[in-house]
Amino acid sequence: MTISTEAQKPLPFSSAVGSLIEATDAIKNFRAIALLALTFIGAVLVGGVLTMLAGSMSSVLLAFLGGLMAFLVMFYGSNAVGILLMRDVQGQPGMSLADAVLVSLYTSHRLIAVVFLEFLIVLAAMIAIAIILFVCKIPVLGPVLYTLVFPLSAIVLGVLVFALFYVMLPLAGPAAWSGASVFQIIARLNQIVRTKLVSVILLEVLLFLITTFVALLIFGVLGTGVSLTSGMSAGILSMGEMNMYALASGLGGSGSGYIIAAGLGGGLLMAAAAVVPGLIFTKGVCIIYLDATRNVDFSASEASLNDGLATVKKKAEEARERARALAEQAAASATAPAAAPAAPAAPAAAPADSLHCPSCKAPVASDDAFCGECAHKLK
């Protein structure tokens, strides 16, 4: 699933707005509706059952596991819905629900990696700015330097945060659903930020307004219908006063069985109504991504990113080799045997004519038979 952008021409902003209106056609994709509804139901069932078990067993670990499982069901199910809608926007043949789920299980982890890397970029920028701010603590020169550091830091962090929350996070999903790898997603989103940040933000604001309007319209219609139906049911079925507390609790009063049934049916109705705005928003971000990537050559951006990664990898390898060499040198120095101490020099031999009497130690000659001092016999 890759996007071919070479033969496409960029749409004017007015045409992009018109194409964004078509996001409301997402309600015609019955497979996407069914899959998103099953995702909501599955997440609620898995998380609810495990949370109830955790409450009865007083297990914090089980409660955490329930929340994690509910998140995973929502995460992979929502990405499977995105894959279906992306293929719809691209005009490709649809796929079955099982195939969409399998593709989501195989590719959705790319989104986690992209989000993690993008947050690392923002964190690195904040650390760099913090270091510069510490430099600004220098007396006299610090306030002068801070005059330039303050506005530049505000611009950098503002652009990064806007790019992260209005481009990176919303459009990372469509990029992954179109089949791009992790580094391709990062390269493409970074180029979109550099070239089409304002237009993308404007389209996303418009998409938010469309989604909000549709949600208000749907819930307004349903709210009116629920109010009228509740009033008629209370009089015909002798259910007493049907208020929100009764629907929520379902306990006590006449016709409590009807109240429980109304609560369950109303909950399913509201869940089904929430599916529609979710589908419209998902298809809308797919349209925005395709419009932002039309006729854009990402080869230079991807090559630059690959070169940067290769440089970083090379420097890391050199640092690792240097550290290994230093460690081996230190180990060799520690295990080398200590040098043996030098042997003391032997005393010089006494000259042959320097002889002494063994009795009085007086000097004698080698041919003397007796000592001249004490008459000790030498021979």
Side-chain angles (χ1 to χ4, degrees):
M1 296 186 302
T2 57
I3 303 175
S4 177
T5 59
E6 290 77 4
Q8 297 173 334
K9 295 182 179 180
L11 294 177
F13 185 77
S14 58
S15 300
V17 172
S19 63
L20 193 59
I21 301 295
E22 297 177 1
T24 55
D25 293 339
I27 59 177
K28 299 179 181 179
N29 194 322
F30 297 107
R31 291 181 181 178
I33 293 176
L35 184 54
L36 189 56
L38 291 175
T39 299
F40 285 164
I41 295 172
V44 171
L45 289 178
V46 172
V49 170
L50 291 179
T51 302
M52 291 175 61
L53 290 176
S56 62
M57 300 173 59
S58 300
S59 174
V60 178
L61 179 60
L62 195 58
F64 172 78
L65 182 61
L68 179 62
M69 292 299 296
F71 168 77
L72 291 177
V73 171
M74 281 295 301
F75 178 73
Y76 286 104
S78 300
N79 280 281
V81 172
I83 292 170
L84 290 177
L85 292 177
M86 174 59 78
R87 293 179 66 87
D88 185 18
V89 173
Q90 291 176 313
Q92 297 183 6
M95 60 171 55
S96 64
L97 300 186
D99 290 342
V101 172
L102 288 176
V103 174
S104 176
L105 292 174
Y106 182 73
T107 60
S108 296
H109 60 276
R110 299 173 184 175
L111 290 178
I112 300 177
V114 170
V115 171
F116 179 72
L117 291 175
E118 294 295 343
F119 272 108
L120 284 183
I121 293 174
V122 176
L123 180 61
M126 295 183 68
I127 292 175
I129 291 175
I131 294 174
I132 296 175
L133 290 177
F134 274 107
V135 175
C136 292
K137 297 177 68 174
I138 299 174
V140 181
L141 183 60
V144 177
L145 183 61
Y146 186 69
T147 305
L148 298 176
V149 170
F150 179 77
L152 292 178
S153 300
I155 293 174
V156 170
L157 291 180
V159 171
L160 279 176
V161 171
F162 260 79
L164 179 66
F165 287 101
Y166 288 93
V167 178
M168 300 296 183
L169 296 183
L171 299 187
W177 302 333
S178 65
S181 64
V182 173
F183 293 111
Q184 287 177 336
I185 294 173
I186 294 175
R188 295 179 181 185
L189 295 182
N190 287 336
Q191 185 158 342
I192 291 174
V193 169
R194 292 195 304 267
T195 58
K196 299 186 177 182
L197 177 62
V198 176
S199 61
V200 167
I201 291 177
L202 290 176
L203 289 174
E204 287 182 352
V205 171
L206 178 60
L207 175 62
F208 175 77
L209 294 176
I210 293 174
T211 306
T212 303
F213 175 77
V214 172
L216 291 176
L217 181 63
I218 292 174
F219 283 100
V221 171
L222 293 180
T224 302
V226 167
S227 299
L228 294 175
T229 305
S230 299
M232 295 174 62
S233 300
I236 296 175
L237 300 177
S238 301
M239 297 169 59
E241 183 180 359
M242 287 185 64
N243 50 34
M244 294 303 296
Y245 174 75
L247 289 175
S249 62
L251 300 176
S254 61
S256 59
Y258 290 111
I259 294 178
I260 294 175
L264 292 176
L268 291 176
L269 181 62
M270 294 302 171
V275 167
V276 176
L279 290 176
I280 292 175
F281 182 82
T282 303
K283 186 172 182 178
V285 293
C286 292
I287 293 174
I288 293 173
Y289 175 78
L290 289 180
D291 176 70
T293 56
R294 286 181 189 274
N295 203 33
V296 178
D297 185 10
F298 294 105
S299 58
S301 180
E302 293 174 1
S304 176
L305 181 61
N306 289 331
D307 292 342
L309 291 174
T311 302
V312 172
K313 187 182 298 184
K314 181 180 179 181
K315 291 183 178 180
E317 186 66 25
E318 291 176 354
R320 184 167 54 188
E321 291 296 332
R322 190 181 305 112
R324 183 184 305 170
L326 291 175
E328 292 176 354
Q329 182 179 357
S333 299
T335 57
D353 56 349
S354 178
L355 301 177
H356 298 83
C357 173
S359 179
C360 67
K361 308 301 182 183
V364 295
S366 59
D367 54 350
D368 288 344
F370 296 93
C371 176
E373 295 291 335
C374 65
H376 181 76
K377 185 177 181 182
L378 299 175
K379 294 182 181 179

